[in-house]
Amino acid sequence: MKEEIIIAGFGGQGVLSMGKILAYAALVEGKEVTWMPSYGPEQRGGTANVTVIVSDNKISSPILSMYDTAVILNQPSLEKFEQSIKPGGTLIYDGYGISTPPSRKDITVYRIDAMDAAAEMKAAKAFNMIVLGGLLKVRPLVEVEDVLHALRKTLPERHHHLIPMNEAALRKGMEIILRQIEPNLRME
């Protein structure tokens, strides 16, 4: 197993922390991992992305030009990375930040309205965990319990009271994506 992922959006959306939590959870499971962030000097409001590779075997290079999966949270990132997804790959995007939806027909596309779900949950800061939950439903790279372990290790202790909310957000993202997968299963 080897999954090459790009997560991209605006700084402040939790792009880098989403990648970090995914990478840490994979480490907990004994997998090989790379985590390579990229962001401008503005951080909040500027574009940010992170490349995460999760593998059962040694990873030769963290630098990629093509990805198995892209998680896209804004229009500039969609324009930059949509063509970098390998044919047969996966694109997950939040509809809130996208004015022109993805157009490729040779990849599987999932829309996750995480911003709306976070507002419904009254948990705006859990937006990225909703998206991560959606990713893990499509690509079960790590177990939810290991993501929660990663949260306990990466969040400052003063924020540990937010872990139940983050778990609910992960499960909400999984549920949103499952609703898109189930009709396809019924048709097969």
Side-chain angles (χ1 to χ4, degrees):
M1 183 278 297
K2 182 177 181 184
E3 187 77 16
E4 298 169 331
I5 305 162
I6 183 83
I7 303 170
F10 288 126
Q13 288 183 303
V15 169
L16 302 182
S17 61
M18 191 183 337
K20 184 178 181 181
I21 292 162
L22 175 61
Y24 198 104
L27 281 174
V28 166
E29 294 184 6
K31 295 180 171 130
E32 297 291 322
V33 178
T34 65
W35 176 80
M36 196 165 86
S38 174
Y39 50 90
E42 328 67 31
Q43 287 188 321
R44 290 205 178 271
T47 57
N49 66 74
V50 62
T51 300
V52 178
I53 304 171
V54 178
S55 179
D56 289 332
N57 301 309
K58 297 275 185 215
I59 299 167
S60 59
S61 173
I63 300 169
L64 301 171
S65 58
M66 297 294 288
Y67 306 92
D68 298 307
T69 301
V71 177
I72 304 295
L73 305 179
N74 65 5
Q75 192 67 44
S77 297
L78 179 62
E79 291 165 8
K80 183 174 182 179
F81 294 111
E82 182 178 6
Q83 296 309 314
S84 300
I85 303 166
K86 296 173 188 173
T90 301
L91 170 62
I92 299 169
Y93 75 99
D94 179 57
Y96 186 82
I98 305 294
S99 55
T100 306
S103 59
R104 287 192 47 195
K105 303 295 182 216
D106 63 337
I107 60 174
T108 304
V109 177
Y110 297 95
R111 176 179 169 148
I112 184 164
D113 290 325
M115 191 68 76
D116 294 341
E120 284 174 24
M121 294 176 69
K122 295 180 178 40
K125 291 192 183 251
F127 163 79
N128 64 338
M129 290 297 100
I130 294 170
V131 175
L132 182 58
L135 170 63
L136 293 178
K137 188 64 181 176
V138 174
R139 293 280 194 251
L141 301 168
V142 295
E143 298 294 326
V144 171
E145 286 307 313
D146 293 317
V147 172
L148 298 175
H149 179 79
L151 278 168
R152 282 190 284 280
K153 289 293 189 180
T154 59
L155 280 177
E157 200 165 314
R158 68 182 183 275
H159 295 303
H160 281 199
H161 68 282
L162 299 173
I163 291 173
M165 177 193 63
N166 282 292
E167 180 178 6
L170 279 166
R171 296 195 187 283
K172 181 69 170 178
M174 293 175 140
E175 175 188 313
I176 292 168
I177 293 294
L178 181 62
R179 282 183 283 198
Q180 292 177 53
I181 294 171
E182 282 181 337
N184 294 334
L185 294 176
R186 277 186 236 130
M187 290 178 3
E188 292 175 355

